[in-house]
Amino acid sequence: MEEKDYNGKTIFSSVASILNESENTSVFIFPNPVYDGYLNIFSDQNLKVRVYNCYGKIIIAKPLIKGSQIIDLSNFSKGYYYLKANNQTVPFVIM
């Protein structure tokens, strides 16, 4: 969550993870926001994952196997991104 104070300074809440469930698939991502350049993804089944930047451009598209995986985001700018896996969309922030 984004919060702006009276001076216009932006801070983000300390959301540690997001759990989405849809069509019997669970995708769990952490940390959110991403500070170290690595996004951890856990899923209960094999997935095709796509990461989009804030303009809707696909910046990563790859299959992930069931279990825990790490996606390297260290080459991408700070900002808002979206992870899509099957029919789920999970927003996250790179700090």
Side-chain angles (χ1 to χ4, degrees), residues 3-61:
E3 181 180 327
K4 289 191 179 193
D5 67 13
Y6 62 93
N7 291 328
K9 182 178 177 185
T10 301
I11 59 172
F12 295 90
S13 67
S14 59
V15 175
S17 62
I18 296 173
L19 177 65
N20 283 330
E21 293 187 29
S22 173
E23 297 183 10
N24 299 324
T25 301
S26 295
V27 176
F28 182 75
I29 71 167
F30 64 95
N32 188 14
V34 176
Y35 287 100
D36 64 357
Y38 297 96
L39 182 66
N40 297 280
I41 302 172
F42 178 82
S43 177
D44 59 2
Q45 62 182 264
N46 296 342
L47 297 172
K48 181 177 178 187
V49 172
R50 293 171 312 281
V51 176
Y52 295 82
N53 64 17
C54 63
Y55 301 108
K57 180 180 178 186
I58 297 174
I59 58 170
I60 295 175

